[in-house]
Amino acid sequence: MKVLVINCGSSSLKYQLIDMENESVIAKGLCERIGIDGSMLTHQPVNKDKYVVEKDMPSHKEAIELVMSALTDAEHGVIKDTSEINAIGHRVLHGGMKFTQSIVVNEQVKEVIRECFDLGPLHNPANLMGIEACEAAMPGTPNVAVFDTTFGMSMPEKAYMYAIPHEYFEKYSIRRYGFHGTSHMFVSGETIKFAELDPENAKVIVCHLGNGASISASIGGKCVDTSMGLTPLEGLIMGTRSGDVDPAVVQFICNKENLTVNEVLNILNKKSGVLGMSGGVSSDFRDIEAAKEAGNHLAKVAMDAYIYRVVKYIGAYTAAMNGVDAIAFTAGLGENDKKTRKEICECLSYLGVKIDDEANDIRGQKRIISAADSKVKVVLLPTNEELAIARETVALV
């Protein structure tokens, strides 16, 4: 069975074609600058040369058509006809309170995705465009929506409810949802298997660390808490997102700078995080680390604060679960930055965490990086959201 996985952003479309017989990637690619001048597709078939097409893509409809053309191209393609694609799995950011599991797309599902535009203004409209473009390009092929919020829907009320008047939850479904859910679901499940933990009761903390960053706590693979909230703005310090701040900061800046709430939230989403803390050095952690090493004080503060916030969340979730069996690192920074992993774990010695420096000297490979006598297993486990989406799709179709 072949599954096409689609991940649409506002001006981009990532895809992978996966053979689910052996879970191998047949081809993958990226459409960039959709709706913008200079749009292009980069198509990478396995064991073939990369194929680049520069062509106008006014919308996701044209992008999907270009993807289908690349997949079936006589020279660069990997299938003879789109009928070989058995199903399409879509990453959808927000399902609100309506969907707690992945679901085969129908008109009702699309309407709920529309209803959640306010909760995911950057992603949900693009996700829906991708679904409708696939429906037009391959009528009759089942489409599956895999929601980023699904993993967090197993949280108990004490974890997901905000301490605001209950009427706002009843009227607007304001609660903690959590994001990066597909990644957290995949990594927590794979950590349990790889570290040979009890599949029913294993207490796992997943650190999804990158430009966007979040932490989850799960027991037996079921989420009990996660750091992102109603939107991806809450929680850890990120590349450009502030993470946790006193809500009164918004009012204070509005009054002092004569800005609207929307303008300040834009600052918290796009101009804050390590970019803002470092005085504008960069949102890329490699640049922040380089500036820190060169003696930039603000870059050092930004990096120290980032690590400090991660350590605080790990400590809080360990307390909330009354223990932890494994801590997993994933995503760009988590998978590739051995120094950050070590600095975080050195702050967890009170839990009996010990890092094996030799094992930790690695990038992007599945490995236990804790010492043999560490009381908590520490795992480097590369995330694979596309495979997780494909597995969900196969289970439903």
Side-chain angles (χ1 to χ4, degrees), residues 126-169:
N127 301 152
L128 183 58
M129 281 190 281
I131 290 170
E132 293 183 331
C134 287
E135 288 177 332
M138 290 182 287
T141 303
N143 289 270
V144 171
V146 180
F147 297 98
D148 220 25
T149 48
T150 293
F151 184 67
M153 297 307 287
S154 62
M155 283 186 284
E157 286 180 300
K158 65 183 180 182
Y160 73 69
M161 293 295 288
Y162 288 116
I164 58 176
H166 192 68
E167 64 184 281
Y168 298 129
F169 171 73

Coordinates of all heavy atoms in Angstrom, one line a residue, residues 126-169:
A126 N -4.5 26.6 5.2 CA -3.6 25.9 4.2 C -3.8 24.4 4.2 O -3.8 23.8 3.2 CB -2.1 26.2 4.6
N127 N -4.1 23.8 5.4 CA -4.3 22.4 5.5 C -5.6 22.0 4.7 O -5.6 21.0 4.0 CB -4.5 22.0 7.0 CG -3.3 22.2 7.8 OD1 -3.5 22.4 9.0 ND2 -2.1 22.3 7.3
L128 N -6.6 22.8 4.8 CA -7.9 22.6 4.1 C -7.7 22.7 2.6 O -8.2 21.9 1.8 CB -9.0 23.5 4.6 CG -10.4 23.3 3.9 CD1 -10.9 21.9 4.2 CD2 -11.4 24.3 4.5
M129 N -6.9 23.7 2.2 CA -6.6 23.9 0.8 C -5.9 22.7 0.2 O -6.2 22.2 -0.9 CB -5.7 25.1 0.5 CG -6.5 26.4 0.6 SD -5.5 27.9 0.0 CE -4.5 28.2 1.5
G130 N -5.0 22.1 1.0 CA -4.3 20.9 0.5 C -5.2 19.7 0.4 O -5.1 18.9 -0.6
I131 N -6.1 19.6 1.3 CA -7.1 18.5 1.2 C -8.0 18.6 0.0 O -8.2 17.7 -0.8 CB -8.0 18.4 2.5 CG1 -7.2 18.0 3.7 CG2 -9.2 17.5 2.3 CD1 -7.9 18.1 5.0
E132 N -8.5 19.8 -0.3 CA -9.4 20.1 -1.4 C -8.6 20.0 -2.7 O -9.2 19.5 -3.7 CB -10.1 21.4 -1.2 CG -11.1 21.4 -0.1 CD -11.8 22.7 0.1 OE1 -11.3 23.8 -0.3 OE2 -13.0 22.7 0.6
A133 N -7.4 20.3 -2.7 CA -6.6 20.2 -3.9 C -6.4 18.7 -4.3 O -6.4 18.3 -5.5 CB -5.2 20.9 -3.8
C134 N -6.2 17.9 -3.3 CA -6.0 16.4 -3.5 C -7.3 15.8 -3.9 O -7.3 14.9 -4.8 CB -5.5 15.8 -2.2 SG -3.7 16.1 -1.8
E135 N -8.4 16.3 -3.4 CA -9.7 15.7 -3.8 C -9.9 16.0 -5.3 O -10.5 15.2 -6.0 CB -10.8 16.4 -2.9 CG -10.9 15.9 -1.5 CD -11.9 16.6 -0.7 OE1 -12.3 17.8 -1.0 OE2 -12.5 16.0 0.3
A136 N -9.5 17.2 -5.7 CA -9.7 17.6 -7.1 C -8.8 16.8 -8.0 O -9.2 16.4 -9.1 CB -9.5 19.1 -7.3
A137 N -7.6 16.6 -7.6 CA -6.6 16.0 -8.4 C -6.8 14.5 -8.5 O -6.5 13.8 -9.5 CB -5.2 16.3 -7.9
M138 N -7.2 13.9 -7.4 CA -7.4 12.4 -7.3 C -8.8 12.0 -6.7 O -8.9 11.5 -5.6 CB -6.3 11.8 -6.5 CG -4.9 11.8 -7.1 SD -3.6 11.0 -6.1 CE -3.4 12.2 -4.8
P139 N -9.8 12.3 -7.4 CA -11.2 12.0 -6.9 C -11.3 10.5 -6.6 O -10.9 9.7 -7.4 CB -12.1 12.5 -8.1 CG -11.2 12.5 -9.3 CD -9.9 12.9 -8.8
G140 N -11.9 10.2 -5.5 CA -12.1 8.9 -5.1 C -11.1 8.3 -4.2 O -11.3 7.3 -3.5
T141 N -9.9 8.9 -4.2 CA -8.8 8.5 -3.3 C -9.1 9.0 -1.9 O -9.3 10.2 -1.7 CB -7.4 9.0 -3.7 OG1 -7.2 8.5 -5.1 CG2 -6.3 8.4 -2.8
P142 N -9.1 8.1 -0.9 CA -9.5 8.6 0.5 C -8.4 9.5 1.1 O -7.2 9.3 0.9 CB -9.6 7.3 1.3 CG -8.8 6.3 0.5 CD -8.9 6.6 -0.9
N143 N -8.9 10.6 1.7 CA -8.0 11.5 2.4 C -8.2 11.4 3.9 O -9.4 11.3 4.3 CB -8.3 13.0 2.0 CG -7.9 13.3 0.6 OD1 -6.8 13.7 0.3 ND2 -8.7 13.0 -0.4
V144 N -7.2 11.4 4.7 CA -7.3 11.3 6.1 C -6.7 12.5 6.8 O -5.6 12.9 6.4 CB -6.6 10.0 6.6 CG1 -6.5 10.0 8.2 CG2 -7.3 8.7 6.1
A145 N -7.4 13.1 7.7 CA -6.9 14.2 8.5 C -6.3 13.7 9.8 O -7.0 13.0 10.6 CB -8.0 15.2 8.8
V146 N -5.0 14.0 10.0 CA -4.3 13.6 11.2 C -4.0 14.9 12.0 O -3.2 15.7 11.5 CB -3.0 12.9 10.9 CG1 -2.3 12.5 12.2 CG2 -3.3 11.6 10.1
F147 N -4.7 15.1 13.1 CA -4.7 16.4 13.8 C -3.5 16.5 14.7 O -3.2 15.6 15.5 CB -6.0 16.6 14.6 CG -7.2 16.7 13.7 CD1 -8.0 15.6 13.5 CD2 -7.5 17.9 13.0 CE1 -9.1 15.6 12.6 CE2 -8.6 18.0 12.2 CZ -9.4 16.8 12.0
D148 N -2.8 17.7 14.7 CA -1.7 17.9 15.6 C -2.1 18.0 17.1 O -1.3 17.8 18.0 CB -1.1 19.3 15.2 CG 0.4 19.3 15.3 OD1 1.0 18.2 15.1 OD2 1.0 20.3 15.4
T149 N -3.4 18.2 17.3 CA -4.0 18.3 18.6 C -4.4 17.0 19.2 O -4.8 16.9 20.4 CB -5.1 19.3 18.7 OG1 -6.1 19.0 17.6 CG2 -4.7 20.7 18.4
T150 N -4.4 15.9 18.4 CA -5.0 14.7 18.9 C -4.3 14.1 20.1 O -4.9 13.7 21.1 CB -4.9 13.6 17.7 OG1 -5.8 14.0 16.7 CG2 -5.3 12.2 18.2
F151 N -3.0 14.2 20.1 CA -2.2 13.6 21.2 C -2.6 14.2 22.6 O -2.7 13.5 23.6 CB -0.7 13.8 21.0 CG 0.2 13.1 22.0 CD1 0.3 11.8 22.1 CD2 1.0 13.9 22.8 CE1 1.1 11.2 23.0 CE2 1.9 13.3 23.7 CZ 1.9 12.0 23.8
G152 N -2.8 15.5 22.6 CA -3.1 16.2 23.8 C -4.6 16.0 24.3 O -4.9 16.4 25.4
M153 N -5.4 15.4 23.5 CA -6.8 15.2 23.9 C -7.0 14.2 25.0 O -8.1 14.1 25.5 CB -7.7 14.9 22.7 CG -7.7 15.9 21.6 SD -8.1 17.6 22.2 CE -9.9 17.4 22.4
S154 N -6.0 13.5 25.3 CA -6.1 12.5 26.4 C -5.7 13.1 27.8 O -5.8 12.5 28.8 CB -5.2 11.3 26.2 OG -3.8 11.7 26.1
M155 N -5.3 14.4 27.8 CA -5.0 15.1 29.0 C -6.2 15.2 29.9 O -7.4 15.4 29.5 CB -4.5 16.5 28.8 CG -3.1 16.7 28.3 SD -2.6 18.4 28.2 CE -3.4 18.9 26.7
P156 N -6.0 15.0 31.3 CA -7.2 15.2 32.2 C -7.5 16.7 32.3 O -6.7 17.5 32.0 CB -6.6 14.6 33.5 CG -5.1 14.8 33.4 CD -4.8 14.6 32.0
E157 N -8.7 16.9 32.8 CA -9.2 18.3 33.0 C -8.3 19.2 33.8 O -8.1 20.3 33.5 CB -10.6 18.3 33.6 CG -11.7 17.8 32.6 CD -13.1 17.9 33.3 OE1 -13.2 17.2 34.3 OE2 -14.0 18.6 32.8
K158 N -7.7 18.6 34.8 CA -6.8 19.4 35.7 C -5.6 19.9 34.9 O -5.0 20.9 35.3 CB -6.3 18.6 36.9 CG -5.5 17.4 36.6 CD -5.1 16.6 37.8 CE -4.2 15.4 37.5 NZ -3.9 14.6 38.7
A159 N -5.2 19.2 33.8 CA -4.1 19.7 33.0 C -4.5 20.6 31.9 O -3.7 21.5 31.5 CB -3.4 18.4 32.4
Y160 N -5.7 20.4 31.3 CA -6.0 21.2 30.1 C -6.9 22.4 30.4 O -7.0 23.3 29.5 CB -6.6 20.3 29.0 CG -8.0 19.9 29.2 CD1 -9.1 20.7 29.1 CD2 -8.3 18.5 29.3 CE1 -10.4 20.3 29.2 CE2 -9.6 18.0 29.4 CZ -10.6 18.9 29.3 OH -11.9 18.4 29.4
M161 N -7.5 22.5 31.5 CA -8.4 23.7 31.8 C -7.6 24.9 32.3 O -6.6 24.7 33.1 CB -9.4 23.3 32.9 CG -10.4 22.3 32.4 SD -11.5 22.8 31.1 CE -12.5 24.0 32.0
Y162 N -7.9 26.0 31.8 CA -7.3 27.3 32.2 C -8.2 27.9 33.4 O -9.4 27.7 33.4 CB -7.2 28.3 31.1 CG -6.2 28.0 30.1 CD1 -6.5 27.8 28.8 CD2 -4.8 28.0 30.4 CE1 -5.6 27.5 27.8 CE2 -3.9 27.8 29.5 CZ -4.2 27.5 28.1 OH -3.3 27.3 27.2
A163 N -7.5 28.6 34.3 CA -8.2 29.2 35.4 C -8.8 30.5 35.1 O -8.5 31.6 35.6 CB -7.3 29.3 36.6
I164 N -9.8 30.4 34.1 CA -10.5 31.6 33.6 C -12.0 31.3 33.8 O -12.3 30.1 34.0 CB -10.2 32.0 32.2 CG1 -10.5 30.8 31.3 CG2 -8.7 32.4 32.0 CD1 -10.3 31.0 29.8
P165 N -12.9 32.2 33.7 CA -14.3 31.9 33.9 C -14.7 30.8 32.9 O -14.4 30.8 31.7 CB -15.0 33.2 33.5 CG -14.1 34.3 33.9 CD -12.7 33.7 33.6
H166 N -15.5 29.8 33.5 CA -15.8 28.6 32.8 C -16.6 28.8 31.5 O -16.6 28.0 30.6 CB -16.5 27.6 33.7 CG -16.6 26.2 33.1 ND1 -15.5 25.4 32.9 CD2 -17.7 25.5 32.6 CE1 -15.9 24.2 32.4 NE2 -17.2 24.3 32.2
E167 N -17.3 29.9 31.5 CA -18.2 30.2 30.4 C -17.3 30.4 29.1 O -17.8 30.1 28.0 CB -18.9 31.5 30.6 CG -18.0 32.8 30.7 CD -18.8 34.0 31.1 OE1 -19.4 34.6 30.1 OE2 -18.8 34.4 32.2
Y168 N -16.1 30.8 29.2 CA -15.2 30.9 28.0 C -14.8 29.6 27.4 O -14.7 29.4 26.2 CB -14.0 31.8 28.3 CG -14.3 33.2 28.7 CD1 -13.8 33.7 29.9 CD2 -15.2 34.0 28.0 CE1 -14.1 35.0 30.3 CE2 -15.5 35.2 28.4 CZ -15.0 35.8 29.5 OH -15.3 37.0 29.9
F169 N -14.7 28.6 28.3 CA -14.5 27.2 27.8 C -15.8 26.7 27.1 O -15.7 26.1 26.0 CB -14.1 26.3 28.9 CG -14.1 24.8 28.6 CD1 -13.1 24.3 27.8 CD2 -15.1 24.0 29.0 CE1 -13.0 23.0 27.4 CE2 -15.1 22.6 28.6 CZ -14.0 22.1 27.8

